[in-house]
């Protein structure tokens, strides 16, 4: 079929297998170009199919020659209907890893469930023995709790009072004012249940109980803080409460891994275009202004550049891992530089529908958004007839 992007609001309903393959190959080439990383050799990535999780898997495999197991929840293709992009990304990753002689297997299912956890434990036991590094990078809006059976839904809302500020529709470029009503206590609890640290802790407990963590094992989860511009809807909103919980969980996990000399960290990463961030009011406008400045300063990074720098310059230097006063790894340091944030704040005041094309990088935002689904990559013939039915080698 000829596959074109079909948009509905903040989601693209189609994805391009060849474009997703090109995306993965580009990231692999970047990692190879940066030289080897003395990193972990047996890696589990929970949430491995897109964004930071995919970049972590690629960096581990092609930077450190690691054996990787990836867990994700993606929609496979059926004839006449494309898969979700993470499916095609994972198919391409496995193909490239196997070509390079690397172990790579994947599990497709709900990572919150006991069944998928058990399936993963069994695979580690059978194939790898123990894991050196666990990356926790889940980005789901809902969680069916494996113990209570309750379905929790997260919300993107401020706490305490209505939040009003500018936002942009990145499809049209229209800058408007948006108001978001405050959340209820129940919505905070639900968001923490989905996006907080409980499931990360459950994974680590299960791995430790089965003796599947190697001595000195490290686990890293990903978070975001951002500037004062976005804090009412992000860091001081419902998501922020979930991230606070995630960060507190890192200390609890480190405590539980003491006998293995293991450590848990939260890495605070840069603002990037993801399916999730595109749905958060204010964030697309902030990112389009941020991109303009960081590109001009030569500081811009995408997922793969961020994770390569995290692994090379923070996790695997042979020295103690540098953290902030709250024990977090800060790889958002370039975004949060004072000069960068001052420029963003100034442009924010000037941002209108008319001025944004000149002062922001909305074109870069749109391009990154389409890239998420395998579109707009050089070297891909998007007019060609493409087979949408692509399998993942280790998933039968």
């Amino acid at each position: 079929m000829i596959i074109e992007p079909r948009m509905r609001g903040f989601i693209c309903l189609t994805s391009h297998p060849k474009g997703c393959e090109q995306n993965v190959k580009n990231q692999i080439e970047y990692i190879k170009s940066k030289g080897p990383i003395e990193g972990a050799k047996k890696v589990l990535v929970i949430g491995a199919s897109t964004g930071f999780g995919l970049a972590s898997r690629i960096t581990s495999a092609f930077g450190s020659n690691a054996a990787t197991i990836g867990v994700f929840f993606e929609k496979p293709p059926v004839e006449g209907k494309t898969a979700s992009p993470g499916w095609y990304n994972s198919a391409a990753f496995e193909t490239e890893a196997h070509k390079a002689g690397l172990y790579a297997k994947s599990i497709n299912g709900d990572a919150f469930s006991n069944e998928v956890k058990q399936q993963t434990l069994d695979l580690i036991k059978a194939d790898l023995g123990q894991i050196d590094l666990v990356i926790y990078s889940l980005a789901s809006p809902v969680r069916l709790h494996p113990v209570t059976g309750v379905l929790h839904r997260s919300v993107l809302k401020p706490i305490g009072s209505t939040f009003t500020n500018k936002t942009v529709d990145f499809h049209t470029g229209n800058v408007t004012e948006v108001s978001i009503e405050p959340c209820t206590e129940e919505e905070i609890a639900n968001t923490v249940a989905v996006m907080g640290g409980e499931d990360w802790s459950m994974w680590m407990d299960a791995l430790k109980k089965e003796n599947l963590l190697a001595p000195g094992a490290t686990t890293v989860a990903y978070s975001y803080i951002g500037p004062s511009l976005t804090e009412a809807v992000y860091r001081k909103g419902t998501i922020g409460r979930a991230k606070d919980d995630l960060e507190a969980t890192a200390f609890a996990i480190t405590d539980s891994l003491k006998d293995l000399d293991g450590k848990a960290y939260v890495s605070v990463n840069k603002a990037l275009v993801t399916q999730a961030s595109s749905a958060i009011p204010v964030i697309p406008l902030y990112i389009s202004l941020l991109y303009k400045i960081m590109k001009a300063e030569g500081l811009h990074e995408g997922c793969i550049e961020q994770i390569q720098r995290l692994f090379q310059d923070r996790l695997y230097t042979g020295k103690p891992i540098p953290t902030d006063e709250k024990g977090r790894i800060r790889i958002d340091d370039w975004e949060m530089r004072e000069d960068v944030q001052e420029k963003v704040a100034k442009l924010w005041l000037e941002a209108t529908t008319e001025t944004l094309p000149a002062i922001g990088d909305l074109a870069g935002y749109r391009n990154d958004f389409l890239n998420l689904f395998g579109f707009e990559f050089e070297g891909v013939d998007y007019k060609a007839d493409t087979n949408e039915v692509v399998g993942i080698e280790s998933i039968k």
Side-chain angles (χ1 to χ4, degrees):
M1 55 194 282
I2 309 292
I3 303 168
E4 296 175 329
R6 281 197 8 250
M7 298 292 177
R8 186 165 68 205
F10 298 111
I11 33 177
C12 184
L13 302 174
T14 51
S15 58
H16 201 287
K18 291 291 180 192
C20 290
E21 181 186 325
Q22 190 61 51
N23 181 17
V24 168
K25 285 180 173 176
N26 290 351
Q27 292 187 54
I28 290 169
E29 285 312 307
Y30 177 79
I31 293 300
K32 286 179 173 176
S33 77
K34 300 300 280 187
I37 298 168
E38 292 300 317
K41 297 301 181 192
K42 295 176 181 178
V43 179
L44 170 63
V45 184
I46 303 155
S49 54
T50 59
F52 288 123
L54 175 64
S56 302
R57 194 175 190 191
I58 290 169
T59 303
S60 295
F62 292 92
S64 304
N65 288 322
T68 62
I69 291 174
V71 180
F72 46 78
F73 201 7
E74 297 292 347
K75 185 184 72 179
V78 291
E79 207 169 316
K81 221 170 178 192
T82 64
S84 52
W87 178 274
Y88 292 138
N89 291 340
S90 301
F93 171 82
E94 273 202 22
T95 299
E96 294 303 312
H98 294 159
K99 268 193 220 165
L102 296 167
Y103 172 97
K105 287 191 179 177
S106 305
I107 291 170
N108 188 38
D110 179 6
F112 293 130
S113 72
N114 291 332
E115 292 76 18
V116 165
K117 286 184 177 71
Q118 192 57 54
Q119 200 182 334
T120 308
L121 301 181
D122 292 344
L123 182 58
I124 295 167
K125 236 177 263 183
D127 289 6
L128 300 183
Q130 289 185 319
I131 292 291
D132 308 313
L133 173 66
V134 180
I135 296 291
Y136 188 83
S137 185
L138 281 193
S140 170
V142 296
R143 176 187 179 210
L144 181 64
H145 199 286
V147 178
T148 64
V150 173
L151 185 69
H152 298 280
R153 292 186 186 279
S154 61
V155 296
L156 306 162
K157 288 186 178 181
I159 294 171
S161 58
T162 302
F163 172 70
T164 302
N165 212 322
K166 295 178 189 177
T167 192
V168 65
D169 180 327
F170 63 90
H171 296 304
T172 64
N174 284 337
V175 177
T176 55
E177 199 169 76
V178 64
S179 288
I180 312 166
E181 293 302 311
C183 65
T184 63
E185 286 299 321
E186 186 184 7
E187 285 173 324
I188 294 173
N190 276 319
T191 305
V192 171
V194 177
M195 302 173 77
E198 186 187 31
D199 184 64
W200 183 24
S201 189
M202 284 177 163
W203 271 99
M204 297 310 296
D205 286 348
L207 288 160
K208 188 179 182 217
K209 192 178 169 192
E210 296 292 329
N211 194 31
L212 299 177
L213 295 172
T218 301
T219 181
V220 181
Y222 296 134
S223 187
Y224 180 66
I225 294 175
S228 56
L229 268 175
T230 63
E231 70 180 10
V233 75
Y234 199 94
R235 195 64 206 203
K236 288 187 177 173
T238 50
I239 295 184
R241 286 290 179 87
K243 296 301 185 186
D244 289 345
D245 185 75
L246 186 77
E247 289 165 16
T249 301
F251 290 104
I253 293 172
T254 292
D255 209 42
S256 74
L257 298 181
K258 264 186 184 154
D259 55 333
L260 293 172
D261 197 26
K263 289 272 172 69
Y265 295 97
V266 166
S267 173
V268 180
N269 297 358
K270 169 182 183 279
L272 285 168
V273 179
T274 63
Q275 291 179 61
S277 69
S278 300
I280 307 172
V282 183
I283 298 286
L285 180 57
Y286 167 71
I287 289 178
S288 68
L289 298 173
L290 179 73
Y291 272 27
K292 183 83 168 185
I293 290 155
M294 292 191 79
K295 285 177 182 178
E297 298 279 348
L299 297 172
H300 180 66
E301 294 173 309
C303 281
I304 196 67
E305 292 87 0
Q306 269 267 287
I307 297 302
Q308 194 280 336
R309 187 159 69 94
L310 170 68
F311 279 49
Q312 182 86 67
D313 295 354
R314 301 289 196 276
L315 294 178
Y316 296 111
T317 62
K319 299 172 188 165
I321 294 171
T323 56
D324 68 7
E325 72 287 352
K326 293 189 175 178
R328 303 171 297 202
I329 300 169
R330 300 299 294 266
I331 207 77
D332 64 340
D333 48 345
W334 296 353
E335 173 188 354
M336 298 309 293
R337 259 177 38 175
E338 205 173 313
D339 59 326
V340 170
Q341 285 303 320
E342 277 174 9
K343 287 173 185 170
V344 174
K346 186 171 175 290
L347 291 180
W348 185 270
L349 298 174
E350 300 169 16
T352 64
T353 304
E354 293 70 36
T355 61
L356 189 58
I359 67 170
D361 185 25
L362 206 54
Y365 190 102
R366 286 194 199 105
N367 189 74
D368 280 10
F369 182 80
L370 286 166
N371 283 175
L372 296 173
F373 301 89
F375 296 104
E376 299 291 313
F377 282 103
E378 279 182 33
V380 178
D381 183 358
Y382 289 102
K383 293 186 168 58
D385 199 18
T386 303
N387 181 12
E388 72 282 8
V389 181
V390 174
I392 296 174
E393 285 180 40
S394 67
I395 298 176
K396 302 301 177 212

